[in-house]
């Protein structure tokens, strides 16, 4: 530690160059953070929720509806300890740019399956009791400046009222998802009201079922047992864990994800390579200074340590700042992208990986020049040969 | 002027002796330009594919307040009214050129992966192909009416499993035989599979309802009159879109996202690259301190010195820009990918399009980076006190 001042002086030996190098490293590792967050979104690896939940959809298409009577039959399957259902509502609030998901759900059963939702008992009760009631996530309420008691008109598209007028819902409460949840902004509609209003043609049809399995270890068997019940019926099903369901949805974005990751990866390594070159150069140019240090009695190992510490310090300073900014901005970007790229998040693992990379980079860049500095013959170096 | 050129030329010739640090500029700028061009070509390609599906003299009729075909529903009675309104073009037998279509989404395994993805299945009638420009069967034959046969769009047949001629695709209640591959000139319809509309109605339990109606107008100018006629008709509650407008709107969300992504990533990269370029040029100036001082001692003005440094930076950056643009072009132009189209809830396949305009943008950016990267170091070179500089080693 006593040489810290000396190391710091080395870092800022050429102030302009040091700042520029720090700037490049900052950009590279900021980009690294973004890349990791995008990757996380495509692999949906952060979902803390739904480890014991399964989703059952129509076998041949996600838009196929199933009779709500499936619910009781799924509940009877061995290994299943709770079932509820949900449906895609579509619909537009004011303008189609105001997109958010709206699900008609069973007010009794929904929060038993999604028990991680943070919601007051009053809100739950109000949702059960008021037929036209809806619950929204807090971020939605803030975005549209809704207050409890307010009437929210939604223009129907898939589901319409008999006279084709907008649906009128009353906001009865808000809820929140815990941090790290992959669930996004959401409006929950009372299924009983929805089913009554939407008309005879579709009565009793729902989009998908959510069930809880007793033992996630045997998820595949339980899923197969559920699908077995409906095999060769008019409404065959496809069941997967919630995680797999989300993953398959993320995969639908397709090789775009792979390409974007590949491009960002290439960028990151380009910048790092260039910066490494500059950093190496700055060490090379100070050969004579190292000769002076050795003349003063620094051991070979001492010089090696000095140079390595210096390059690691630069890498940590620049890369760390980039990662910090990425950490600070990630939640906001994630929120802005919630509609198109849910699950955009910078995980602790990614940050640690980034920090590890900065240290590796520092060591890698410093190693050759510092070995050179170590093996330096004092006389040659001072002579400028 | 000659002396100025001589200095610039001397400077450029000495680049090989500073190869390592000069490469930093070239590679850095190549990276920025390559990435920006690639990401923007994604947006351009997507937008072209979507817009190609629409024409000015055709109309798409949907149930009112349906934002997409998928959420719309129209009855046979409504279809009759839509077909008989004024302004509709007719074929040689006097029948209106109208195509009533069914659109559903099927869950189909994707090529080279275990996962499934959503595929648009469109039920069309006889006039379906007529209402698309440049529709042609490129392999196999058209489906026979009344049978569970399908033809697959050219760009999507490579993205999913079981979509080659002779394959059988399982869907609810029926097995569909793929009998042909069709092309519509590379637009969004090539991301769909087509089946006979009446067969689709029964297989997907749609009764005799349709999702959308496409109408060929007599000419593009007939649109306003046609729209007015449908709006005024009490038997209908429909929204009428010019087809070109509809597809442009449908593509705007994804295109906007791709563009924004390209610009953001490009900006971060450019930020990094400018630092790289500045670093390089400062190094170039500092290694040539004595040389520059000598020139100035000989009487060359600071203008010449500034010019020589700037030209070096610009040449290196332009070289990088050309390399980056070339890499983007070779690697990505025409490369087909597919992604989820938010408005149809299903896959749309499209190709990266590295257009001349994008290449130009890339090169201009390269010059801009070179200019910024060279300017400050050039000023420094010009302002070094000659006597101090000559003493440096």
């Amino acid at each position: 530690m006593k040489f810290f001042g000396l190391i710091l002086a080395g870092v800022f030996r050429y102030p302009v160059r040091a700042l520029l190098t720090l700037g490049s490293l900052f950009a590279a590792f900021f980009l690294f953070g973004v890349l990791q967050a995008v990757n996380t979104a495509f692999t949906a690896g952060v979902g803390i929720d739904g480890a014991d939940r399964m989703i059952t959809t129509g076998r041949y298409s996600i838009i196929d509806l199933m009779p709500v009577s499936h619910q009781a039959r799924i509940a009877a399957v061995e290994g299943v300890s709770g079932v509820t259902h949900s449906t895609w509502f579509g619909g537009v609030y004011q303008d189609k740019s105001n997109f958010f998901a709206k699900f008609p759900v069973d007010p009794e059963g929904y929060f038993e399956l999604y028990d991680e939702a943070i919601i007051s008992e009053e809100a739950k009760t109000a949702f059960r009791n008021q037929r036209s009631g809806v619950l929204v996530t807090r971020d939605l309420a803030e975005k549209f400046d809704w207050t409890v008691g307010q009437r929210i008109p939604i223009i129907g598209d898939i589901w319409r009222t008999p006279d084709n007028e907008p649906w009128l819902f009353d906001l009865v409460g808000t809820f929140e998802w815990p941090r790290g949840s992959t669930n996004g902004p959401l409006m929950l509609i009372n299924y009983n009201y929805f089913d009554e209003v939407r008309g005879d043609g579709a009565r009793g049809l729902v989009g998908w079922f959510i069930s809880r399995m007793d033992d996630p270890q045997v998820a595949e068997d339980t899923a197969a047992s559920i699908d077995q019940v409906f095999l060769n019926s008019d409404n065959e099903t496809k069941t997967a864990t919630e995680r797999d369901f989300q993953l398959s949805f993320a995969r639908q974005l397709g090789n775009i994800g792979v390409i974007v990751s590949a491009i960002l990866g290439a960028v990151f390594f380009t910048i790092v390579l260039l910066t490494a070159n500059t950093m190496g150069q700055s060490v090379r140019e100070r050969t004579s200074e190292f000769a002076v240090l050795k003349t003063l009695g620094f051991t070979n190992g001492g010089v090696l340590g000095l140079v390595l510490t210096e390059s690691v310090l630069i890498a940590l300073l620049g890369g760390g700042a980039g990662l910090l900014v990425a950490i600070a901005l990630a939640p906001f970007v994630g929120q802005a992208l919630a509609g198109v790229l849910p699950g955009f998040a910078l995980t602790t693992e990614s940050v640690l990986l980034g920090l590890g990379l900065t240290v590796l980079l520092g060591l890698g860049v410093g190693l050759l020049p510092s070995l050179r500095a170590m093996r330096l013959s004092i006389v040659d170096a001072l002579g400028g040969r | 002027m000659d002396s100025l050129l001589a200095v610039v030329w001397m400077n450029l010739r000495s680049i090989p002796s500073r190869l390592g640090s000069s490469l930093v500029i070239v590679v850095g700028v190549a990276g920025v330009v390559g990435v920006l061009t690639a990401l923007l070509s994604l947006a351009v390609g997507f937008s072209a594919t979507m817009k190609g599906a629409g024409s000015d003299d055709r109309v798409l009729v949907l149930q009112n307040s349906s934002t997409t075909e998928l959420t719309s529903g129209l009855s046979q009675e409504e279809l009759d009214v839509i077909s008989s309104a004024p302004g509709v073009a007719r074929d040689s037998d006097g029948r209106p050129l109208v195509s009533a279509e069914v659109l559903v989404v099927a869950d189909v395994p994707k090529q080279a992966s275990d996962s499934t993805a959503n595929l648009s299945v469109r039920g069309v009638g006889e006039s379906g192909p007529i209402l698309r420009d440049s529709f042609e069967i490129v392999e196999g034959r058209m489906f026979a009416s009344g049978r569970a046969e399908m033809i697959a769009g050219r760009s999507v047949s490579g993205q999913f499993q079981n979509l080659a001629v002779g394959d059988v695709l399982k869907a609810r209640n029926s097995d569909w035989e793929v009998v042909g591959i069709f092309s519509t000139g590379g637009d969004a319809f090539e991301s769909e599979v087509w089946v006979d509309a009446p067969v689709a109605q029964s297989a997907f339990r749609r009764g005799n309802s349709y999702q959308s109606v496409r109408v060929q107008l007599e000419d593009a100018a007939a649109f306003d009159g046609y729209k007015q006629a449908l709006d005024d008709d009490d038997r209908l509650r429909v929204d009428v879109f010019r087809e070109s407008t509809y597809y442009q709107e449908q593509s705007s969300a994804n295109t906007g996202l791709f563009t924004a992504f390209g610009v953001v990533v490009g900006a971060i990269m450019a930020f990094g690259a400018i630092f790289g370029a500045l670093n390089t040029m400062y190094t170039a100036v500092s290694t040539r301190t004595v040389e520059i001082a000598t020139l100035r001692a000989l009487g060359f003005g600071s203008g010449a010195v500034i010019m020589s440094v700037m030209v070096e930076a610009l040449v290196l950056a332009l070289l990088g820009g050309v390399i980056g643009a070339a890499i983007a072009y070779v690697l990505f132009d025409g490369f087909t990918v597919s992604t989820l189209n938010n408005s149809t809830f299903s896959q749309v396949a499209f190709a990266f399009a590295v257009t001349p305009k994008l290449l130009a943008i890339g090169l201009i950016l390269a010059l801009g980076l070179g200019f910024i990267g060279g300017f400050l170091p050039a000023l420094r070179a010009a302002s070094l006190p000659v006597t101090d500089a000559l003493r440096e080693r």
Side-chain angles (χ1 to χ4, degrees):
Chain A
M1 255 306 99
K2 67 177 168 179
F3 295 124
F4 190 72
L6 184 61
I7 293 169
L8 213 58
V11 169
F12 291 102
R13 171 69 174 76
Y14 303 102
V16 175
R17 182 179 287 170
L19 284 179
L20 293 175
T21 304
L22 290 177
S24 308
L25 285 172
F26 171 83
F29 279 88
F30 176 61
L31 210 58
F32 175 84
V34 176
L35 165 76
Q36 286 294 316
V38 170
N39 253 337
T40 302
F42 279 109
T43 52
V46 279
I48 53 147
D49 32 35
D52 61 348
R53 280 196 295 259
M54 287 185 297
I55 306 284
T56 302
T57 58
R59 174 168 172 191
Y60 293 111
S61 170
I62 192 144
I63 62 168
D64 277 348
L65 299 169
M66 292 170 290
V68 70
S69 60
H70 273 24
Q71 180 169 333
R73 297 173 68 187
I74 293 175
V77 171
E78 200 187 321
V80 173
S81 60
V83 192
T84 190
H85 61 79
S86 186
T87 306
W88 186 260
F89 184 80
V92 169
Y93 173 66
Q94 288 178 342
D95 184 87
K96 69 177 173 188
S97 62
N98 292 335
F99 173 81
F100 54 90
K102 309 165 193 75
F103 298 158
V105 299
D106 175 11
E108 306 283 343
Y110 186 82
F111 287 105
E112 280 168 32
L113 264 296
Y114 288 92
D115 52 3
E116 76 269 30
I118 303 161
I119 178 170
S120 67
E121 281 307 316
E122 297 99 289
K124 275 192 201 174
T125 314
F127 188 45
R128 272 198 296 271
N129 293 342
Q130 185 158 354
R131 295 175 67 76
S132 63
V134 290
L135 295 173
V136 298
T137 46
R138 181 158 302 163
D139 47 356
L140 272 186
E142 280 164 11
K143 179 174 173 190
F144 296 115
D145 216 3
W146 290 332
T147 50
V148 172
Q150 183 162 352
R151 175 152 287 195
I152 302 170
I154 303 284
I155 302 162
D157 45 18
I158 308 173
W159 307 111
R160 292 165 189 261
T161 58
D163 50 7
N164 210 353
E165 293 298 317
W167 293 78
L168 295 175
F169 297 118
D170 295 297
L171 184 62
V172 294
T174 62
F175 65 103
E176 267 180 291
W177 297 112
R179 263 184 83 83
S181 166
T182 43
N183 288 308
L186 183 59
M187 170 182 276
L188 296 174
I189 297 163
N190 188 326
Y191 172 78
N192 301 323
Y193 177 70
F194 162 75
D195 196 39
E196 179 189 302
V197 176
R198 66 174 160 172
D200 291 333
R203 187 149 296 158
L205 293 180
V206 298
W208 63 93
F209 296 94
I210 306 106
S211 51
R212 171 166 289 130
M213 48 196 153
D214 293 330
D215 183 2
Q217 300 290 339
V218 294
E220 281 183 20
D221 297 340
T222 314
S225 313
I226 293 177
D227 292 338
Q228 185 66 34
V229 173
F230 307 102
L231 202 62
N232 295 323
S233 77
D234 262 0
N235 294 286
E236 295 187 49
T237 58
K238 187 169 84 174
T239 305
T241 61
E242 186 170 281
R243 198 186 128 84
D244 284 346
F245 183 76
Q246 288 173 347
L247 208 57
S248 79
F249 216 76
R251 284 206 190 110
Q252 293 236 23
L253 292 167
N255 25 23
I256 296 268
V258 181
I259 288 169
V260 168
S261 304
I263 290 177
L264 288 187
V267 169
F268 172 70
F269 283 105
T270 314
I271 300 186
V272 164
L273 225 68
L274 297 179
T275 316
N277 182 34
T278 333
M279 285 165 69
Q281 194 178 1
S282 109
V283 179
R284 281 194 297 276
E285 283 178 10
R286 281 162 42 213
T287 307
S288 55
E289 289 176 27
F290 298 131
V292 172
L293 285 181
K294 287 174 86 170
T295 317
L296 289 176
F298 272 84
T299 59
N300 282 345
V303 173
L304 181 87
L306 271 185
V307 179
L308 276 183
T309 316
E310 183 187 317
S311 65
V312 169
L313 190 65
I314 293 185
L316 267 179
L317 277 177
L323 285 173
L324 272 182
V325 173
I327 293 170
L329 289 183
F332 299 102
V333 180
Q335 204 148 41
L337 289 180
V340 278
L341 200 61
F344 180 97
L346 192 54
T347 59
T348 318
E349 288 84 3
S350 304
V351 174
L352 290 178
L353 180 65
L355 281 180
L357 277 178
T358 56
V359 174
L360 265 183
L361 170 73
L363 289 176
V365 166
L367 198 62
L368 269 183
S370 61
L371 281 179
R372 220 184 83 134
M374 188 181 94
R375 296 203 191 103
L376 212 57
S377 139
I378 298 176
V379 182
D380 284 354
L382 284 178
R385 282 193 287 266
Chain B
M1 194 62 206
D2 281 353
S3 64
L4 187 99
L5 283 179
V7 174
V8 170
W9 181 232
M10 183 191 82
N11 201 12
L12 290 181
R13 268 182 312 172
S14 69
I15 288 179
S17 65
R18 303 188 297 275
L19 203 60
S21 64
S22 302
L23 272 179
V24 173
I25 289 196
V26 177
V27 177
V29 173
V32 177
V33 171
V35 165
L36 187 77
T37 311
L39 287 175
L40 289 182
S41 73
L42 197 65
V44 171
F46 184 80
S47 162
T49 300
M50 293 298 287
K51 280 183 202 155
S55 159
D56 279 346
D57 60 1
R58 285 196 297 263
V59 164
L60 186 69
V61 183
L62 301 179
Q63 186 181 10
N64 73 319
S65 58
S66 290
T67 43
T68 73
E69 278 186 87
L70 209 54
T71 59
S72 160
L74 296 166
S75 67
Q76 182 67 45
E77 294 74 40
E78 288 172 305
L79 170 61
D80 294 339
V81 179
I82 292 166
S83 311
S84 56
V88 180
R90 290 172 184 273
D91 64 10
S92 50
D93 298 334
R95 289 177 300 182
L97 276 173
V98 167
S99 176
E101 302 180 353
V102 178
L103 185 67
V104 297
V105 174
D107 204 14
V108 178
K110 281 200 87 169
Q111 197 82 266
S113 82
D114 306 332
S115 60
T116 60
N118 297 337
L119 173 66
S120 284
V121 179
R122 185 181 293 274
V124 298
E126 263 171 42
S127 44
I130 304 171
L131 267 81
R132 269 82 181 185
D133 302 323
S134 61
F135 172 92
E136 58 173 333
I137 299 282
V138 292
E139 195 189 331
R141 59 172 173 86
M142 183 69 184
F143 57 76
S145 70
R147 303 186 54 172
E149 295 179 339
M150 63 167 52
I151 53 174
R154 184 170 56 181
S155 55
V156 86
S157 78
Q159 301 281 336
F160 285 88
Q161 293 176 23
N162 301 336
L163 283 187
V165 172
D167 286 346
V168 172
L169 193 76
K170 275 186 79 70
R172 70 186 303 159
N173 304 337
S174 48
D175 292 344
W176 302 83
E177 192 190 344
V178 181
V179 298
I181 305 290
F182 71 93
S183 157
T184 48
D187 64 25
F189 295 118
E190 281 190 17
S191 295
E192 304 175 340
V193 297
W194 286 10
V195 299
D196 191 31
V199 182
Q201 283 176 331
S202 69
F204 301 108
R205 295 184 236 173
R206 293 302 159 112
N208 55 4
S209 74
Y210 298 95
Q211 249 79 55
S212 63
V213 179
R214 274 185 173 63
V215 178
Q216 178 71 54
L217 295 177
E218 284 160 356
D219 53 54
F223 177 78
D224 291 333
Y226 181 74
K227 180 176 163 58
Q228 196 61 47
L230 293 198
D231 286 348
D232 291 347
D233 200 311
D234 289 339
R235 293 169 294 176
L236 292 178
R237 293 186 77 169
V238 293
D239 287 340
V240 181
F241 303 92
R242 207 187 274 277
E243 215 185 28
S244 50
T245 320
Y246 176 80
Y247 282 101
Q248 185 149 12
E249 271 178 28
Q250 299 286 290
S251 73
S252 62
N254 276 21
T255 309
L257 182 70
F258 294 148
T259 309
F261 199 73
V263 169
V264 169
V265 171
I268 301 174
M269 278 206 68
F271 183 75
I274 285 177
F275 285 116
L278 279 172
N279 226 336
T280 309
M281 291 317 293
Y282 272 124
T283 315
V285 168
S286 71
T287 51
R288 289 172 47 237
T289 307
V290 179
E291 196 182 308
I292 291 171
T294 311
L295 283 175
R296 294 192 38 221
L298 290 175
F300 284 97
S302 30
V305 171
I306 290 181
M307 191 60 98
S308 72
V309 175
M310 289 296 294
V311 168
E312 175 179 344
L314 289 176
V315 165
L316 290 174
L318 193 63
L319 184 65
V322 170
I323 293 175
I327 289 177
Y329 184 82
V330 171
L331 281 188
F332 290 109
D333 192 51
F335 185 65
T336 302
V337 292
S338 73
T339 191
L340 194 67
N341 179 8
N342 288 329
S343 58
T344 58
F345 219 55
S346 53
Q347 296 282 308
V348 58
F350 63 99
F352 283 72
V354 182
T355 58
K357 189 180 158 202
L358 288 185
L359 294 177
I361 291 178
L363 293 185
I364 292 171
L365 177 70
L367 286 177
L369 292 177
F371 185 83
I372 301 174
F375 190 62
L376 287 177
L379 281 188
R380 181 177 133 84
S383 59
L384 278 177
V386 177
T387 44
D388 289 359
L390 279 176
R391 231 177 278 127
E392 255 183 51
R393 254 201 0 184

